[in-house]
Amino acid sequence: MSVSITGLDQQPEDIDSKTFREFAKSYNKISEQCFMDCANDFTTSEVRRKEDTCINNCLSKYLDMTRRVAMRFQEYHMMVMEPGQTPGIPSTSSENQSNKSGLSSYLPGGS
């Protein structure tokens, strides 16, 4: 059984594999970023309290930011979608077009 995504037929295993690769890439990126920011003392094999706190704060901020961005995308998507509209097919109504002021206005620091 194949699943159509943006006009391409992909097997469910391909989608699972792609999803896992994206997760692994994100995990590696945040792990590296938090390590570079927080691991400072290499004179001992123990993780210092300061480093542990820094890493926990780093990961917590990343997860909160990811959650917030996902929530904003969902809110934006719900705002621009008209009832009964098929996802991925743009609306042609002038009311919907006037409501599309841009996602940046819903993100922190946006206008």
Side-chain angles (χ1 to χ4, degrees), residues 17-74:
S17 178
K18 182 178 179 183
T19 301
F20 180 75
R21 282 193 307 269
E22 289 173 2
F23 167 77
K25 185 177 178 181
S26 294
Y27 175 81
N28 288 337
K29 181 179 178 181
I30 191 62
S31 295
E32 181 178 355
Q33 184 64 46
C34 290
F35 179 83
M36 297 299 289
D37 289 347
C38 299
N40 301 317
D41 185 4
F42 298 102
T43 60
T44 180
S45 61
E46 295 178 17
V47 177
R48 304 284 181 174
R49 183 178 184 93
K50 180 179 176 182
E51 293 171 329
D52 187 48
T53 302
C54 179
I55 289 171
N56 286 330
N57 289 340
C58 179
L59 182 57
S60 178
K61 284 180 183 181
Y62 175 80
L63 293 174
D64 289 345
M65 181 270 311
T66 302
R67 219 175 287 123
R68 184 172 181 166
V69 168
M71 194 170 32
R72 296 297 183 207
F73 272 116
Q74 183 180 15

Side-chain angles (χ1 to χ4, degrees), residues 58-98:
C58 179
L59 182 57
S60 178
K61 284 180 183 181
Y62 175 80
L63 293 174
D64 289 345
M65 181 270 311
T66 302
R67 219 175 287 123
R68 184 172 181 166
V69 168
M71 194 170 32
R72 296 297 183 207
F73 272 116
Q74 183 180 15
E75 289 173 1
Y76 177 75
H77 180 72
M78 290 171 59
M79 182 187 78
V80 299
M81 291 293 294
E82 291 182 22
Q85 182 181 354
T86 305
I89 299 176
S91 172
T92 57
S93 78
S94 60
E95 178 184 317
N96 190 36
Q97 295 300 319
S98 66

